[in-house]
Amino acid sequence: MAAYELTGLIRYLGQEDWQECFGEVLGDHIGPALEAGDISFEDLAEMIGPDVAMTLWGCAFEDFLGQDWDDGRNFVDVYLKRRGWKEGPRNSAYMRALKASVMSLYEVSDIKPGQSLMARDLLRGGEPVLVHEGTATRTLEQWDRIAARLVPSDGKTILAGGLLAYSRGACEDLAANLYRALRKRRGKAEFPKVDTQTLHELAPMFTLTWLFRTLEDMARQMEGPALFNGDGEDLVFHEVCFPLAKGVTRKTVADVLDGIMALRPENRSFWNWLKEPSNPVGKAGRDENGRFLRTEMDDGAIVLGTLDLKGRQLRLQVNSRERAERGRAMLQAGLGDLVRAPLTQIMTPAQAMEDRRTHGREVSPELQIPPEEEARIIGQMLERHYRQVLDEPVPALGDMTPRQAVQTASGRKKVAIWLKDIENTTVHAQGSGGAMAAYDFGWMWHELGIIRLRK
């Protein structure tokens, strides 16, 4: 990014009447968010960090550089006419190029850290553009999306200073805002097609959409994410302990448990409690930001809980109040007088994490899995999973299977977006150095016949 070329412009901003003009543009970019939160720019900087706040300031400043005011004046033109002799041809050319640039949303790929990336304009279309960039390429991942200005400089294309990394949620917000601003009914496309002049007029939308989503996500993280099990029930861990009645042997209890249809034995002291095939997976309507936890057996059977028979106790472990009640009733009906009244211990996800952190032990080096072996195991697991997914309905594809969706042109585009989202989410979940991040999803593109869309 070439912020250093703008030193003279920034200093000149404090002279004459340009401060008021810039204040109007800055207000368009962040004012509604400040008003909604009843905060000042200084408060915002403290919340999101001074560097990020200055990036937002930079987005507004770059937009300001392209504005023509009522008197026909443009800040860059006036500055270069009066002081261009101090800048030289290189900086002057960059300022004129930045003045003509527009903010758009780009999908990045083929990232070479410290060197370059390919950027595909999601709003205006066209082929990906080679962008020479040293800083952002060290943090961006494949298929990330950024709001940025691409500027020609010294025969290359570079990124301007106002760059915002867009999450998937922010992208959805931006698409909705664009359709609303253009007064278009949302069609099949993820984003509407937008011309350059319209992008110039809608520049503040990129900053505001990013800022509102960021502040909402920060507030949600402070509250903690909503967590649910696969049936949409609030995730709260329950351990229900049944003491064995006097004189009852573990063998007697195990024989009864083996006869309960919903229980699948692993051995004579451990059972998985499985959802009945006729009972469909719950699809409770939950907040889109809630996280769901579902456990499955190798054959796809859904695990509702586990039973562990140790010493003189039978322990049922489940992850919701509803399952604890159902499991308690099932076991009391089956075991009757073989067990006494149960005791229940309850733990929230936060408490469980803290307990694990406090009482956890370091794994000895002898028991650690070598990185290459871990990558191989995870790769096999992911391939088994995704080979199955290719033949299962996917909500993002209109409840069609990926193999069905790729039979049409519009379906192929949806599948490409879906695959990119899977790749990008996997990298961010593990970090660029994680074992899952090393997995190559290329086979899925080839298998579905859409490798040409992987760009």
Side-chain angles (χ1 to χ4, degrees):
M1 289 175 275
Y4 60 87
E5 283 98 339
L6 304 182
T7 303
L9 279 172
I10 295 172
R11 288 176 179 171
Y12 191 62
L13 180 64
Q15 301 182 24
E16 300 191 12
D17 59 350
W18 292 111
Q19 280 282 8
E20 184 177 349
C21 297
F22 173 65
E24 292 182 23
V25 177
L26 183 62
D28 292 338
H29 279 255
I30 65 173
L34 298 183
E35 292 174 9
D38 192 23
I39 57 176
S40 65
F41 183 78
E42 289 71 22
D43 296 329
L44 178 66
E46 186 173 341
M47 293 169 64
I48 64 177
D51 291 342
V52 180
M54 286 310 299
T55 297
L56 299 179
W57 187 95
C59 291
F61 184 65
E62 290 167 0
D63 182 24
F64 165 70
L65 298 183
Q67 299 285 338
D68 292 324
W69 299 92
D70 294 336
D71 56 8
R73 295 190 304 161
N74 171 270
F75 182 66
V76 173
D77 292 342
V78 171
Y79 175 79
L80 291 178
K81 182 177 180 179
R82 296 183 180 180
R83 302 197 176 193
W85 59 272
K86 296 181 63 177
E87 296 292 344
R90 181 175 181 274
N91 284 8
S92 297
Y94 176 77
M95 292 175 187
R96 291 191 181 94
L98 187 57
K99 167 194 166 185
S101 69
V102 293
M103 180 77 88
S104 190
L105 188 69
Y106 296 91
E107 179 183 76
V108 303
S109 61
D110 297 331
I111 302 166
K112 295 180 174 56
Q115 299 180 40
S116 65
L117 56 80
M118 298 297 292
R120 183 168 69 92
D121 195 323
L122 296 174
L123 303 182
R124 288 179 291 182
E127 293 298 314
V129 176
L130 176 63
V131 178
H132 293 267
E133 164 59 33
T135 303
T137 50
R138 300 186 189 279
T139 57
L140 292 173
E141 302 289 354
Q142 181 84 343
W143 311 127
D144 273 353
R145 293 172 175 185
I146 58 173
R149 293 171 184 264
L150 270 56
V151 184
S153 177
D154 292 338
K156 301 177 181 179
T157 300
I158 64 174
L159 293 173
L163 182 152
L164 301 172
Y166 257 63
S167 65
R168 293 302 178 195
C171 287
E172 293 173 2
D173 294 345
L174 181 65
N177 291 338
L178 285 171
Y179 276 108
R180 193 178 302 114
L182 299 173
R183 292 182 173 83
K184 291 183 178 181
R185 295 186 64 182
R186 186 157 188 166
K188 295 181 180 179
E190 185 182 13
F191 295 100
K193 292 300 179 184
V194 184
D195 59 56
T196 300
Q197 179 58 36
T198 302
L199 285 178
H200 175 73
E201 297 168 359
L202 296 180
M205 181 182 293
F206 292 90
T207 311
L208 277 173
T209 300
W210 182 92
L211 183 53
F212 270 115
R213 169 58 71 159
T214 298
L215 293 176
E216 289 172 8
D217 288 346
M218 289 176 63
R220 196 174 293 114
Q221 288 173 6
M222 291 177 65
E223 297 171 356
L227 299 173
F228 314 109
N229 66 16
D231 289 325
E233 301 159 348
D234 291 331
L235 195 71
V236 181
F237 299 107
H238 287 65
E239 183 176 83
V240 186
C241 295
F242 294 84
L244 273 57
K246 186 176 180 179
V248 174
T249 65
R250 290 170 54 187
K251 180 181 182 303
T252 301
V253 173
D255 288 341
V256 174
L257 295 177
D258 283 344
I260 298 178
M261 292 296 295
L263 302 181
R264 181 184 296 181
E266 290 283 341
N267 50 54
R268 291 289 286 173
S269 62
F270 188 89
W271 294 259
N272 285 293
W273 175 27
L274 306 180
K275 181 184 284 288
E276 297 178 11
S278 60
N279 188 5
V281 177
K283 291 186 177 180
R286 290 291 185 173
D287 185 280
E288 63 176 0
N289 296 293
R291 300 179 185 177
F292 287 77
L293 177 66
R294 192 172 82 176
T295 305
E296 297 181 356
M297 303 289 287
D298 289 341
D299 61 0
I302 297 172
V303 179
L304 299 178
T306 60
L307 283 164
D308 191 12
L309 182 58
K310 283 187 177 180
R312 299 290 299 167
Q313 285 189 336
L314 174 65
R315 294 186 301 173
L316 166 67
Q317 293 184 321
V318 294
N319 59 16
S320 74
R321 176 180 57 81
E322 293 84 354
R323 291 183 180 180
E325 293 174 354
R326 288 162 52 197
R328 184 187 299 112
M330 173 185 69
L331 293 173
Q332 287 178 325
L335 295 171
D337 295 336
L338 297 178
V339 293
R340 298 202 303 268
L343 299 174
T344 301
Q345 179 180 348
I346 300 174
M347 188 175 294
T348 67
Q351 290 171 331
M353 291 176 65
E354 178 62 21
D355 184 71
R356 182 177 179 181
R357 183 189 68 80
T358 303
H359 298 97
R361 292 182 174 85
E362 292 291 333
V363 179
S364 66
E366 293 79 8
L367 298 179
Q368 290 181 354
I369 302 176
E372 60 275 9
E373 180 65 12
E374 181 184 11
R376 185 187 67 79
I377 293 172
I378 289 177
Q380 291 178 344
M381 176 193 70
L382 288 175
E383 183 153 350
R384 282 198 305 271
H385 171 70
Y386 284 116
R387 285 202 177 277
Q388 181 179 343
V389 168
L390 292 183
D391 295 302
E392 294 180 346
V394 176
L397 304 178
D399 286 329
M400 299 176 69
T401 71
R403 296 189 194 278
Q404 292 171 334
V406 295
Q407 300 306 310
T408 65
S410 61
R412 287 190 286 273
K413 292 180 181 178
K414 288 183 179 179
V415 172
I417 293 171
W418 173 70
L419 285 174
K420 288 177 180 179
D421 192 42
I422 289 175
E423 289 191 47
N424 186 257
T425 301
T426 301
V427 172
H428 281 286
Q430 275 266 306
S432 57
M436 289 177 65
Y439 182 70
D440 183 6
F441 286 87
W443 70 268
M444 295 179 70
W445 296 80
H446 284 287
E447 181 104 354
L448 295 170
I450 57 171
I451 188 63
R452 63 183 181 81
L453 298 179
R454 197 187 190 195
K455 60 179 184 180

